[in-house]
Amino acid sequence: MSTLDLPQTRLQFFFLGLVLTFVFIRISVRLIRAKVRWWPGNITPGGTHIHHVVPGSVFMLLGGVTGLAVPDDQHGLRVAAAALLGVGAALVLDEFALILHLRDVYWTKDGRLSVDAVFLAVGMTGLLLLGARPLGYEGFFGEGMLLRVLAVLVNLGFAIVALLKGKVWTGLLGLLVLGLPQIGAVRLARPGSPWARWRYPEGSRKLRRAYRREARIRQPLIRAKIRVQEFISGRHDLEG
């Protein structure tokens, strides 16, 4: 098997396409926002603003279909398709908040969700490159398969509980890192999360503790995360 045909190599090119395109598009939109004369502005044929989620969707489709359709021995094409898929994924995820809200919230506080989505994609892809595997799927079959299936289901259950408690990063990254979902599942839920609404009555001791922990620990972490994100992606300071 050629080195170019290894799944790890295709994943590396997907990762490069994702990261480099995100960095490029954020530089581009910040230059456009600053109205730098020598930088091309938004694409607006006929007065219609073409958001970069549009070419991103096209690139994702082309990369995905090419990766599925090309023969196995066309290693260069398979790697190129993986890179194109990464390019498309970056363009789409960078406007994830726009897709979610169905309106242009790019530079508002709601637009930070797009940066979270890109960072999460980069984190999960990076973990895969480092050898993590979803729910330990490697060596899944064979002797003792039933026990492994049960272990996977238990880990998945903990990840779902963590997500319901409002711990998105812990729940999703926990699909790749054993132990994270368990930590998220046993800790207090975030105020406003589905778990808190279902399990913490108004005025209850757990809800008061959740609010105190949110103010004491999580809010400073969120402010630090926002500072790092906006250093990279620009300030999201417009009214929604």
Side-chain angles (χ1 to χ4, degrees), residues 95-193:
E95 293 199 319
F96 177 78
L98 181 150
I99 300 170
L100 179 66
H101 293 280
L102 291 180
R103 57 191 177 90
D104 191 352
V105 295
Y106 196 85
W107 291 118
T108 71
K109 292 180 180 179
D110 289 334
R112 291 175 183 149
L113 184 61
S114 296
V115 187
D116 285 333
V118 174
F119 278 26
L120 185 60
V122 170
M124 296 190 76
T125 307
L127 286 173
L128 289 171
L129 283 171
L130 291 173
R133 291 295 176 261
L135 299 172
Y137 80 88
E138 280 191 337
F140 194 76
F141 299 101
E143 188 177 351
M145 185 181 73
L146 180 59
L147 288 177
R148 285 193 287 274
V149 169
L150 290 174
V152 165
L153 291 177
V154 168
N155 195 59
L156 181 60
F158 278 119
I160 291 172
V161 172
L163 290 170
L164 290 175
K165 286 190 170 186
K167 303 173 187 298
V168 177
W169 281 80
T170 303
L172 293 179
L173 294 181
L175 297 174
L176 300 176
V177 181
L178 293 177
L180 273 184
Q182 289 79 356
I183 294 172
V186 299
R187 292 175 64 83
L188 277 174
R190 294 190 62 196
S193 66

Side-chain angles (χ1 to χ4, degrees), residues 4-21:
L4 280 178
D5 195 41
L6 292 173
Q8 194 79 351
T9 303
R10 296 197 297 273
L11 191 60
Q12 288 171 357
F13 276 82
F14 170 84
F15 183 78
L16 286 173
L18 177 69
V19 172
L20 294 179
T21 302

Side-chain angles (χ1 to χ4, degrees), residues 192-212:
S193 66
W195 189 275
R197 292 198 301 269
W198 300 335
R199 307 278 296 181
Y200 301 170
E202 193 65 36
S204 67
R205 181 171 173 268
K206 280 190 173 182
L207 187 59
R208 291 196 301 270
R209 285 178 56 209
Y211 275 116
R212 286 198 301 269

Side-chain angles (χ1 to χ4, degrees), residues 208-239:
R208 291 196 301 270
R209 285 178 56 209
Y211 275 116
R212 286 198 301 269
R213 177 168 292 180
E214 186 82 3
R216 187 178 71 255
I217 300 175
R218 184 159 184 94
Q219 288 305 320
L221 288 175
I222 290 176
R223 287 193 292 270
K225 180 198 74 170
I226 289 172
R227 284 195 291 270
V228 171
Q229 287 184 336
E230 294 196 340
F231 174 77
I232 297 171
S233 62
R235 294 190 62 185
H236 295 77
D237 53 6
L238 298 181
E239 294 295 327

